Amino acid sequence: MRVTDTSDLWWKSAVIYCLDVKKFLDSDGDGVGDLQGLATRIDYLAQIGVTCLWLMPFYPSPGKDDGYDVTDFYGVDPRLGTHGDFVEVVRTAKDRGMRVIVDLVINHTSDRHPWFVEAKRSVDSPYRDFYVWRDDPPPKNQQNTVFPGEADGVWTKDEKSGQWYLHSFYEHQPDLNVANPRVRDEIAKTVGFWLQLGVSGFRVDAVPFLLEVPEGAEMANPHDFLRDIRRFLQRRSSEAMLLGEVNLPYEQQVLYFGANDDGQELSMQFDFVAMQRLYLSLVRGDPAPLISALTARPELPVEVQWANFLRNHDELTLDQLSEQERQEVFEALAPDERQRVYGRGIVRRLPPMLNGDPRRIRMAYSLLFTLPGTPVLFYGEEIGMGENAEIGGRAAVRTPMQWSGEPGGGFSGAPRRRLASRPPSDGYAPEHVNVADQIEDRGSLLHFFRDLISRYRISPELGWGRFDLIEQDAPAVMAHSLTADVGRMIALHNFGDSPATVRFRLEGEPEGVSLVDLLGAERVDVGEQHDVSLELPAYGFRWLRVSRPGDGRLT
């Protein structure tokens, strides 16, 4: 790679920040965040170092599923603003060096969407085939695997016609029939519309469900539809990308990048496998589970990428762990049954799960930024926000952004969730979980994020490099390197609660090589045989750049 390649495939070295407009900042005092409020915080996000905003659904919606039940794919919820406000956000973000991507929720609509309203009027409605219907009753005791205990099955009877309609999610979210060419055309129009308003791509919701087609439908390969979206996207905007939600084992997940290994379907996918193994590693104080995931990742074409995350807007799913492993994580991070959901997930944010321990919190985020792939943050992570357990369910982690420590600092009046009581350490105190208290404090978690991101952004090998484990003898330490044409980075992370001595050899490097500590000020001694020995404190970490004679890299 060349450094200039990072502008062609910008998302491979991006810092993606996911936010819910209605929870971010209220500009008019009505208790709901809005686009005008977001616009006033673009500079805050730019100062952190964010390069891509991912906006969760802001479309018109009854709000039964936090906006994922859409009634107009082309609209803006009037509570949040107008199309003019949206364009101002995109324009201002781009002026500050940030692109914007938006949620593409095309697996289903709200049952109040005009298409479904018309479809229910008659079996002869031109919109009837926009959805999936059956004449015979569904099997008894049908299960809903997405929301077990919250949704009854996946078929609901339309009393007027006597037919049943499919809903992979909630009853009020009927599935679209992507085998219908008219539906595919409408989806393409939706993509084209938001591209025209300046977005740089889409986070595609629930991709495997999107590609499920009715039995007997005339659609030979559903993946062709995903390829068609990608081709249409790139005809309209050569820089635009698709970030897909595909929670499957690697051998199935890789097909969504491109069945022929050509990378012509999704541009990026969230790595659910590594995320779940990472939490198991945190609980055990042992990097082995995470290492097993990273070394099992399939080889990918250069044009596609993994997206790494520690938290998102949904439950922290552990569905790909074994039952024993899942219980192990539950007992350590979510000991109260109310902190669990669907028998597979956790509805907590990271800092409370780690008992507010600043060493573990910072180590986890350092690890996130050095994993091979692109880091994705959920709003509030940079200040250590916790969940609001009083709300319950997935909404517990979707609370208002905490801008100040004053009552109502999250603008909705929702009670603030403080981290578990723990003596402050290294400038991070549980009672200071808001922007106002951290922005002037150089020892705060917020400034730690700024430092990580600033180093990440001048280290393109982190997003582009080849991943290699480094052999060393400390079992609690994960040592790895990322190597690209522009250079090589080495990352060391101690998962254990005791100090560790790390010894390794720099293989394949020339004479005169040295290691520069990117998060400190010193160089690390390299022996005559290219051997390195250094100490890591409990939950310690180091970012080391390999400095070769005459390479001229910034440090």
Side-chain angles (χ1 to χ4, degrees):
M1 64 160 289
R2 300 170 301 170
V3 171
T4 50
D5 294 335
T6 60
S7 62
D8 295 330
L9 301 177
W10 59 268
W11 33 268
K12 292 197 68 168
S13 51
V15 177
I16 301 176
Y17 187 97
C18 171
L19 65 87
D20 185 345
V21 173
K22 59 183 174 294
K23 304 290 176 59
F24 203 60
L25 184 69
D26 174 17
S27 70
D28 56 15
D30 67 354
V32 179
D34 49 50
L35 289 164
Q36 290 187 10
L38 169 58
T40 67
R41 291 295 186 265
I42 294 294
D43 284 331
Y44 161 79
L45 296 170
Q47 288 169 4
I48 296 172
V50 171
T51 62
C52 178
L53 300 184
W54 158 20
L55 303 186
M56 291 169 62
F58 50 83
Y59 315 110
S61 165
K64 292 183 178 181
D65 187 20
D66 205 23
Y68 284 89
D69 46 330
V70 180
T71 59
D72 181 2
F73 290 129
Y74 302 106
V76 174
D77 187 325
R79 299 176 304 159
L80 310 185
T82 65
H83 285 96
D85 295 323
F86 175 82
V87 170
E88 285 195 344
V89 165
V90 174
R91 172 68 178 173
T92 305
K94 287 190 174 181
D95 181 65
R96 306 310 198 266
M98 285 181 281
R99 292 172 169 88
V100 176
I101 65 174
V102 299
D103 253 296
L104 189 63
V105 190
I106 49 176
N107 166 260
H108 53 254
T109 69
S110 165
D111 59 1
R112 301 186 193 177
H113 193 290
W115 297 343
F116 193 67
V117 172
E118 287 298 319
K120 291 205 322 182
R121 291 186 187 280
S122 167
V123 294
D124 298 320
S125 167
Y127 289 95
R128 189 75 175 186
D129 197 34
F130 270 45
Y131 299 89
V132 182
W133 303 86
R134 64 185 295 161
D135 294 314
D136 57 314
K140 293 183 178 180
N141 302 317
Q142 54 176 315
Q143 300 295 315
N144 186 300
T145 59
V146 179
F147 300 124
E150 288 189 9
D152 295 327
V154 295
W155 294 96
T156 291
K157 188 174 185 179
D158 169 37
E159 295 298 338
K160 182 176 181 179
S161 66
Q163 289 184 320
W164 282 260
Y165 66 87
L166 178 65
H167 55 90
S168 299
F169 294 79
Y170 290 114
E171 178 181 334
H172 57 78
Q173 293 170 319
D175 282 14
L176 284 167
N177 177 15
V178 297
N180 183 341
R182 290 183 59 203
V183 171
R184 298 198 297 272
D185 286 346
E186 291 291 344
I187 290 172
K189 289 177 185 177
T190 299
V191 168
F193 177 82
W194 293 107
L195 288 174
Q196 197 69 24
L197 291 187
V199 306
S200 297
F202 301 87
R203 178 265 186 183
V204 189
D205 186 54
V207 181
F209 292 97
L210 172 65
L211 298 193
E212 288 184 355
V213 299
E215 186 176 348
E218 295 182 6
M219 192 174 183
N221 184 358
H223 279 267
D224 288 342
F225 171 48
L226 200 53
R227 299 170 74 87
D228 287 344
I229 294 177
R230 177 74 177 272
R231 282 193 290 264
F232 177 83
L233 181 83
Q234 296 190 321
R235 287 200 303 272
R236 294 291 180 94
S237 173
S238 60
E239 74 157 14
M241 62 83 151
L242 296 174
L243 169 57
E245 180 190 30
V246 182
N247 180 16
L248 292 171
Y250 283 141
E251 61 270 19
Q252 299 174 49
Q253 190 174 5
V254 71
L255 299 177
Y256 291 80
F257 283 121
N260 299 319
D261 296 327
D262 59 2
Q264 292 303 306
E265 294 185 31
L266 294 172
S267 316
M268 302 177 70
Q269 292 185 56
F270 294 104
D271 190 345
F272 283 91
V273 176
M275 179 275 292
Q276 296 180 50
R277 307 300 291 181
L278 189 156
Y279 275 97
L280 186 59
S281 285
L282 290 175
V283 166
R284 292 180 174 177
D286 179 359
L290 174 60
I291 290 172
S292 70
L294 295 175
T295 54
R297 276 180 169 181
E299 290 290 328
L300 299 178
V302 70
E303 295 85 3
V304 299
Q305 178 78 307
W306 296 108
N308 301 311
F309 66 106
L310 293 180
R311 204 61 189 87
N312 60 17
H313 63 285
D314 224 327
E315 83 264 15
L316 195 161
T317 184
L318 303 171
D319 63 332
Q320 294 198 51
L321 298 183
S322 70
E323 182 61 32
Q324 181 179 348
E325 291 169 338
R326 187 160 48 249
Q327 288 303 318
E328 187 178 348
V329 178
F330 277 160
E331 290 171 9
L333 304 183
D336 190 327
E337 283 287 345
R338 294 172 299 178
Q339 298 167 338
R340 310 174 190 178
V341 67
Y342 310 135
R344 63 172 186 245
I346 296 174
V347 285
R348 307 188 74 194
R349 282 180 176 250
L350 177 73
M353 284 192 286
L354 300 183
N355 294 320
D357 187 335
R359 302 169 304 168
R360 298 182 73 192
I361 294 167
R362 294 183 184 213
M363 188 277 284
Y365 284 113
S366 168
L367 182 63
L368 172 68
F369 278 91
T370 58
L371 291 178
T374 300
V376 181
L377 302 173
F378 187 44
Y379 74 94
E381 285 193 273
E382 74 276 16
I383 58 172
M385 272 178 59
E387 74 278 357
N388 184 349
E390 297 179 24
I391 297 177
R394 296 180 299 157
V397 301
R398 302 174 180 176
T399 53
M401 179 69 176
Q402 298 296 336
W403 294 106
S404 74
E406 300 299 321
F411 71 77
S412 74
R416 295 174 61 210
R417 170 65 165 87
R418 299 182 185 276
L419 301 185
S421 177
R422 183 182 181 87
S425 172
D426 195 23
Y428 182 70
E431 62 268 23
H432 293 164
V433 184
N434 61 74
V435 174
D437 289 339
Q438 294 189 32
I439 200 163
E440 301 299 334
D441 179 2
R442 278 296 290 131
S444 69
L445 186 63
L446 177 60
H447 278 270
F448 173 73
F449 265 85
R450 286 181 174 179
D451 291 342
L452 285 186
I453 293 173
S454 68
R455 290 308 188 184
Y456 170 86
R457 292 188 63 185
I458 63 168
S459 307
E461 57 266 52
L462 291 177
W464 286 73
R466 183 190 72 249
F467 170 79
D468 293 294
L469 282 174
I470 296 175
E471 292 187 8
Q472 48 83 37
D473 295 330
V477 173
M478 174 173 158
H480 72 277
S481 69
L482 290 161
T483 308
D485 292 346
V486 295
R488 182 183 182 191
M489 288 275 297
I490 292 174
L492 309 174
H493 290 85
N494 184 3
F495 286 71
D497 58 4
S498 300
T501 300
V502 184
R503 299 183 180 90
F504 61 92
R505 178 167 294 175
L506 279 176
E507 303 288 352
E509 295 295 343
E511 294 297 323
V513 70
S514 62
L515 294 176
V516 179
D517 189 336
L518 291 190
L519 302 179
E522 71 275 10
R523 288 181 178 263
V524 176
D525 292 333
V526 177
E528 292 184 0
Q529 302 301 317
H530 287 180
D531 54 305
V532 179
S533 178
L534 48 80
E535 300 293 321
L536 285 181
Y539 307 117
F541 50 89
R542 301 286 288 272
W543 291 23
L544 304 173
R545 169 163 292 148
V546 177
S547 178
R548 300 160 181 142
D551 67 3
R553 286 294 301 278
L554 291 173
T555 59

